[in-house]
Amino acid sequence: MLWDLIGSGAAVLTMFGFVPQILKILRTRSVQDVSLVMLLQFSLGIFFWLLYGLYIRDNILIVANAVSFVTLVIADALYFKYRNG
Amino acid sequence: MLWDLIGSGAAVLTMFGFVPQILKILRTRSVQDVSLVMLLQFSLGIFFWLLYGLYIRDNILIVANAVSFVTLVIADALYFKYRNG
């Protein structure tokens, strides 16, 4: 029961980990200190996790990484929107 | 074989996902646009993944999240070092 909470907490916290960064970009419209390499590296990595989840047909991997991937696409788009000021 | 590469690639890319952000902070000494909530949320989430990995005795979970956790502690420390400069 405790360990279910820790596992679920881990999943939720990391799955939505980029949401605070997205909200901050929307608020400040500035991405000067945000690493584009970080965003692209996570985007590709999470996409690979999603593909791997589909391959091994693991629903938790699929859902968690599909959600994360959507947040990363949003973060990437905002980065390019605001990169020049 | 292809799927081993995709799975391993996913693991390596996300495990070291915060390294480019750390390098950028070291280079610019500026964290104004980096979300502290993002860093702390990932730190806690990855710590929970590490605990969960120890509980289910899964070496891949343990190693990957131990490495990620170290990078997040570094990122957190750099954030507080440069937040007022």
Side-chain angles (χ1 to χ4, degrees), chain A residues 3-22 24-25 28 30-39 41-42 44-49 51-52 55 79, chain B residues 3-22 24-25 28 30-39 41-42 44-49 51-52 55 79:
Chain A
W3 290 103
D4 285 350
L5 276 177
I6 289 181
S8 315
V12 171
L13 286 167
T14 54
M15 185 163 67
F16 296 105
F18 284 104
V19 171
Q21 184 66 65
I22 288 171
K24 176 154 190 166
I25 295 173
T28 63
S30 174
V31 294
Q32 204 178 323
D33 300 328
V34 178
S35 165
L36 175 61
V37 180
M38 171 191 71
L39 291 178
Q41 183 171 329
F42 268 112
L44 186 64
I46 294 293
F47 183 66
F48 277 12
W49 273 128
L51 289 181
Y52 191 71
Y55 171 66
Y79 183 94
Chain B
W3 290 103
D4 285 349
L5 276 178
I6 288 181
S8 316
V12 171
L13 286 167
T14 54
M15 185 162 65
F16 296 105
F18 284 103
V19 172
Q21 183 66 67
I22 289 171
K24 176 153 190 167
I25 295 173
T28 64
S30 174
V31 295
Q32 204 179 322
D33 300 329
V34 177
S35 165
L36 176 61
V37 181
M38 171 191 71
L39 292 178
Q41 183 170 329
F42 268 112
L44 186 64
I46 295 291
F47 183 66
F48 277 11
W49 274 129
L51 289 182
Y52 191 71
Y55 172 65
Y79 183 93

Side-chain angles (χ1 to χ4, degrees), chain A residues 39-75:
Chain A
L39 291 178
L40 297 181
Q41 183 171 329
F42 268 112
S43 302
L44 186 64
I46 294 293
F47 183 66
F48 277 12
W49 273 128
L50 176 57
L51 289 181
Y52 191 71
L54 290 166
Y55 171 66
I56 66 172
R57 295 170 194 245
D58 184 293
N59 285 334
I60 293 180
L61 267 188
I62 293 169
V63 172
N65 288 292
V67 170
S68 284
F69 187 67
V70 169
T71 69
L72 278 157
V73 169
I74 293 170

